Amino acid sequence: MTGPGLATALQEFAARESILVALDFDGVMAELVDRAENARPLPANATALAALAGLPGVHTALVSGRALESLLAVASPPESTLLIGSHGAERRLGPEAPPLELDEEQTRALAAVGQVLEPVAARYPESWVEYKPAARVLQVRLARSDEARCRAVSEAEEALSELAGQAGRSELAPFFIGHGKDVLEVAVVRADKGQGLDLLRSVTGAEAVLFAGDDVTDETGFARLDPARDVSIKVGPGETGAQFRIEGPADVATVLEAVRSWRR
């Protein structure tokens, strides 16, 4: 754990009657890997999350950019853990949670975005398009060079700009472009992790929220938290609006265990 400031904040957080511990998955619960399907939570992190999920007054959640199906497959979260997927476009807040449904214009827009991104990915070896229920994602992490990654994203943005100009004339729903670590994500549902945390706070009635994330997409979550009662933690390097920072996923279990210890 980094510094006495974080330790004090966790102790005060754990003392509140009802708390929510929300975590990104990739780069937080799990180390980043080249192939998303190969990611798994670090054993110590999975154990610590499960221990927290069993305590009275403690709500746990995973807040991820992954599609829900993918998140469930790799994370194997505790049954009581709430799930936010696709940056907030998908959510599982109970066993009977309905799936995400798109209208006709959104469905057409999603197909059009895929048709734009696929040729770009084909021009850059080891790049590909990931299909999510409400988004298409250009993955360039494995592209051969930094130059190739930048060029692929630039070409995709240019093509998407042309498509956006056609949207109003072709009955396509608007789409929203987001950047992450070596990814360009184009969604037809406007959502972000800040909105996801707002929803989780409302659903659980938590007095305070702890959120840990590693990517630029987590910054909307950090911005939604109140430093007087909540705890925001950046995992790894990079500019951030989070209050605290830890070195990497291997340190997450220490944070969770500290909350559990003071909670008990």
Side-chain angles (χ1 to χ4, degrees), residues 23-33 38-51 62 66 74-78 235 246-257:
L23 308 165
D24 188 11
F25 181 75
D26 296 283
V28 177
M29 286 292 289
E31 298 282 1
L32 293 174
V33 295
N38 294 333
R40 294 293 184 275
L42 295 179
N45 291 348
T47 298
L49 182 64
L62 295 179
R66 283 180 181 261
V74 299
S76 300
V235 181
I246 58 178
E247 187 172 341
D251 296 319
V252 170
T254 304
V255 170
L256 301 182
E257 288 164 359

Side-chain angles (χ1 to χ4, degrees), residues 30-220:
E31 298 282 1
L32 293 174
V33 295
D34 290 337
R35 295 289 181 182
E37 64 271 19
N38 294 333
R40 294 293 184 275
L42 295 179
N45 291 348
T47 298
L49 182 64
L52 269 180
L55 294 181
V58 178
H59 306 275
T60 58
L62 295 179
V63 181
S64 175
R66 283 180 181 261
L68 267 186
E69 183 178 3
S70 171
L71 182 60
L72 281 164
V74 299
S76 300
E79 184 63 30
S80 62
T81 294
L82 306 176
L83 302 178
I84 297 290
S86 298
H87 303 287
E90 296 183 277
R91 66 281 304 265
R92 191 192 75 171
L93 305 179
E96 304 301 323
L100 173 69
E101 293 186 0
L102 304 180
D103 62 28
E104 291 184 6
E105 290 189 353
Q106 289 172 321
T107 300
R108 284 194 292 268
L110 198 58
V113 167
Q115 292 169 359
V116 164
L117 295 182
E118 286 287 3
V120 175
R123 289 194 290 272
Y124 294 90
E126 300 302 323
S127 298
W128 70 94
V129 178
E130 178 187 357
Y131 282 59
K132 293 183 179 180
R136 298 293 180 259
V137 187
L138 178 64
Q139 297 276 359
V140 297
R141 178 176 297 157
L142 300 184
R144 293 177 175 174
S145 66
D146 289 342
E147 181 184 359
R149 287 190 283 273
C150 291
R151 200 161 59 239
V153 169
S154 179
E155 288 182 16
E157 289 176 324
E158 183 176 348
L160 289 166
S161 178
E162 294 178 7
L163 179 63
Q166 303 168 10
R169 302 190 299 273
S170 55
E171 296 185 333
L172 297 180
F175 51 84
F176 312 97
I177 300 174
H179 295 79
K181 291 182 177 178
D182 297 324
V183 301
L184 178 73
E185 180 157 347
V186 189
V188 296
V189 174
R190 184 188 290 277
D192 62 48
K193 293 184 180 181
Q195 295 170 343
L197 288 178
D198 284 347
L199 174 64
L200 291 171
R201 193 196 295 270
S202 174
V203 166
T204 61
E207 295 178 28
V209 176
L210 180 154
F211 177 54
D214 74 305
D215 205 345
V216 293
T217 58
D218 298 307
E219 294 299 319
T220 58

